[in-house]
Amino acid sequence: MQTFFPPQAQALVVLLMSLLLPLTKPFTVIVSDSSNQSALLDGPQSGFTMNRDGARTDAREQEAVYDIMRATGNDWATDIPDVCRGRWHGIECMPDKDNVYHVVSLSFGALSDDTAFPTCDPAKSYISKSIMKLPHLRTLFFYRCFSHNPQPIPAFLGQLSPTLQTLVLRENGHVGFIPTELGNLTRLKVLDLHKNNLNGSIPVSLGRLAELRSLDLSRNTLTGSIFSLSFPVLNVLDLSQNLLVGSIPSTLGSCHSLIKIDFSRNRLSGSIPESIGSLKELILMDLSYNRLSKPFPTSIRNLNALQALILKGNPMGSATISSEEFDGMTSLMILILSYTNLHGPIPESLGRLTNLRVIHLDGNRLNGSIPTNFKDLKNLGELRLNDNQLTGPVPFGREMVWKMRRKLKTSQ
Ligand SMILES: *[C@@H]1O[C@H](CO)[C@@H](O)[C@H](O)[C@H]1NC(C)=O
Ligand SMILES: *[C@@H]1O[C@H](CO)[C@@H](O)[C@H](O)[C@H]1NC(C)=O
Ligand SMILES: *[C@@H]1O[C@H](CO)[C@@H](O)[C@H](O)[C@H]1NC(C)=O
Ligand SMILES: *[C@@H]1O[C@H](CO)[C@@H](O)[C@H](O)[C@H]1NC(C)=O
């Protein structure tokens, strides 16, 4: 596993696993809420008495948790006299100044062997409306919960506590539209609706979520175009594997904190906006398998933090790679430009990007010879140049060829 977030992003709630494996999809896992753990943002409502059995949990919230647990087939929880004291994995509580405990986080689903949140009964689970009775909630996480009982994302989630920072509804089999009401959750930092069956377009109201750090709507069947984006602190934007059309909005360039953009496997057309060059923090950009039909913007060479550029499977307007095309991309490790209609020679300048580990230029109409300075790419472990019109020798020593073995493809 490779994690290569800059330190400021590690303070975030998101961990990206295998981000750099080009052939597998990156998987975003929410680990924990990094927000201030020492105190509640809001004070208590007032007038609490002790619960039965001397429990210290807010009585109304306790009843709400029972409802939510019942609605997911976890009736066992209703035998726990104080849910905050019971402390199963998947519930987090915090005391207020009167030492009354409030529920701040609820999580469901078998995420991994060592993250055993309560599982849902997939055939009959639903999200109980009692969730509205948790005014201090910061994190709500449902993973693989409603898959055999397909249901829309309830619009009432838009009225959840204004303290909500993380909403994850991942692989739950949700159908229908993304409720516009989610745009009311203006304190959200993480919105993850990955791998459901959501359709319709991305509601413009989500543009109001100005504090978002991670927006993952990947693997749904969303249609329509990408609205004008303005997310000043967004690090991760994953809209991959949908049916999105239209062009990439040039406002993308105003989302200065972006680290990862994945729009792969949609139907986006037009050009990569010139404004992309202002994304100085960008590490990964995957726009593969779309219908982008214009040559690279010249600003792309300004992306000097970029480690992975994946544009495979776009017509890219029959471009040549200019000699200074990727000049500033000194961090580049993965370059995947297969089947992008490139023609002309491979520029020598590519051989000077010595961090390159993976180069795929196969399935183009590149001609001329392989630049001799490719032998200086000491980190190179995978090179695909097959299905081009290249001629001349392979400029690698025996050792390099042996190292790459079957990951070196130069002929048909
Ligand atoms: C965390 O909460 C404590 C106590 O309310 C406060 O003093 C501190 O400034 C907070 N820290 C941050 C980073 O918000
Ligand atoms: C979206 O999905 C729902 C339920 O699966 C379906 O009834 C509806 O017709 C779909 N709408 C669109 C615009 O595809
Ligand atoms: C929530 O959003 C909906 C639709 O976007 C809007 O009509 C409604 O007034 C909002 N509610 C609140 C409480 O802000
Ligand atoms: C490469 O192809 C172009 C036409 O696309 C041609 O003009 C050029 O002479 C070719 N170069 C080599 C070295 O074959």
Side-chain angles (χ1 to χ4, degrees):
M1 189 187 92
Q2 205 154 6
T3 320
F4 54 98
F5 266 106
Q8 77 270 22
Q10 266 164 2
L12 227 189
V13 288
V14 174
L15 174 74
L16 285 186
M17 290 164 61
S18 47
L19 187 61
L20 265 193
L21 296 175
L23 303 176
T24 57
K25 294 305 294 177
F27 185 54
T28 311
V29 177
I30 309 305
V31 186
S32 76
D33 193 332
S34 69
S35 62
N36 199 334
Q37 299 286 344
S38 57
L40 282 170
L41 292 174
D42 314 303
Q45 288 128 325
S46 73
F48 287 106
T49 50
M50 283 295 191
N51 298 350
R52 60 183 150 109
D53 304 325
R56 296 167 303 163
T57 301
D58 180 319
R60 197 172 131 89
E61 295 184 32
Q62 165 115 340
E63 288 305 321
V65 170
Y66 288 159
D67 288 348
I68 297 158
M69 295 303 278
R70 269 189 224 105
T72 53
N74 290 294
D75 299 60
W76 54 266
T78 57
D79 293 336
I80 296 178
D82 183 340
V83 293
C84 285
R85 247 187 218 171
R87 292 227 162 210
W88 63 83
H89 285 292
I91 186 166
E92 282 176 49
C93 300
M94 272 189 212
D96 61 28
K97 60 180 165 42
D98 298 325
N99 222 22
V100 175
Y101 278 72
H102 301 281
V103 179
V104 296
S105 170
L106 279 179
S107 304
F108 295 87
L111 189 61
S112 68
D113 290 345
D114 42 286
T115 323
F117 300 140
T119 52
C120 302
D121 180 341
K124 60 167 202 187
S125 291
Y126 63 96
I127 302 181
S128 165
K129 212 168 177 178
S130 291
I131 227 147
M132 318 288 296
K133 298 178 192 158
L134 301 176
H136 302 281
L137 203 60
R138 291 176 185 179
T139 298
L140 186 59
F141 183 104
F142 285 99
Y143 174 68
R144 294 193 177 166
C145 270
F146 319 108
S147 27
H148 300 298
N149 183 20
Q151 52 198 282
I153 296 176
F156 64 71
L157 291 185
Q159 296 163 41
L160 277 174
S161 151
T163 56
L164 195 73
Q165 296 183 352
T166 301
L167 178 59
V168 178
L169 302 171
R170 208 177 157 89
E171 300 187 34
N172 279 323
H174 287 298
V175 295
F177 298 158
I178 299 175
T180 35
E181 286 80 359
L182 295 190
N184 292 348
L185 298 170
T186 51
R187 302 292 302 278
L188 269 191
K189 290 181 164 47
V190 175
L191 178 59
D192 181 347
L193 307 178
H194 169 81
K195 204 173 177 189
N196 286 289
N197 294 310
L198 299 166
N199 64 6
S201 54
I202 304 173
V204 178
S205 66
L206 297 191
R208 295 173 53 208
L209 306 179
E211 296 179 24
L212 273 186
R213 306 227 163 195
S214 176
L215 177 59
D216 186 347
L217 306 178
S218 60
R219 288 196 76 170
N220 283 287
T221 51
L222 299 169
T223 51
S225 54
I226 304 173
F227 60 79
S228 172
L229 302 160
S230 169
F231 295 109
V233 292
L234 192 66
N235 294 139
V236 174
L237 179 56
D238 191 343
L239 305 178
S240 64
Q241 303 192 70
N242 279 290
L243 303 169
L244 299 169
V245 296
S247 53
I248 299 173
S250 64
T251 49
L252 186 64
S254 72
C255 305
H256 290 291
S257 306
L258 278 169
I259 292 170
K260 169 184 163 178
I261 297 172
D262 190 348
F263 292 166
S264 63
R265 295 177 193 269
N266 277 285
R267 296 168 180 181
L268 299 169
S269 55
S271 55
I272 302 172
E274 198 64 54
S275 63
I276 209 96
S278 52
L279 300 178
K280 298 291 185 211
E281 322 247 319
L282 197 62
I283 289 177
L284 180 145
M285 179 157 74
D286 187 349
L287 305 177
S288 59
Y289 300 106
N290 275 287
R291 295 170 183 174
L292 300 170
S293 58
K294 301 275 166 54
F296 312 107
T298 51
S299 67
I300 207 166
R301 70 191 59 145
N302 300 336
L303 298 175
N304 45 30
L306 198 70
Q307 295 182 8
L309 178 62
I310 305 170
L311 299 176
K312 182 177 187 176
N314 281 287
M316 295 312 285
S318 185
T320 55
I321 312 176
S322 79
S323 61
E324 62 278 4
E325 194 80 65
F326 304 117
D327 262 4
M329 291 192 182
T330 48
S331 309
L332 202 63
M333 300 201 299
I334 295 180
L335 179 64
I336 303 204
L337 301 176
S338 318
Y339 302 94
T340 47
N341 262 326
L342 295 169
H343 63 94
I346 300 174
E348 187 97 1
S349 56
L350 207 52
R352 290 196 290 269
L353 301 179
T354 51
N355 286 312
L356 277 169
R357 285 160 168 71
V358 176
I359 302 176
H360 293 186
L361 297 173
D362 51 309
N364 285 296
R365 286 175 291 129
L366 298 166
N367 67 2
S369 55
I370 305 173
T372 51
N373 68 352
F374 267 36
K375 71 178 180 333
D376 303 330
L377 295 172
K378 298 294 181 223
N379 295 308
L380 199 61
E382 196 173 322
L383 178 64
R384 290 190 199 165
L385 298 172
N386 51 296
D387 300 300
N388 278 293
Q389 290 145 27
L390 297 163
T391 50
V394 175
F396 301 122
R398 186 190 282 257
E399 196 189 337
M400 188 89 163
V401 172
W402 174 245
K403 187 179 127 194
M404 288 195 271
R405 276 177 289 183
R406 291 170 60 182
K407 297 200 167 148
L408 174 64
K409 291 189 184 166
T410 51
S411 58
Q412 300 310 324

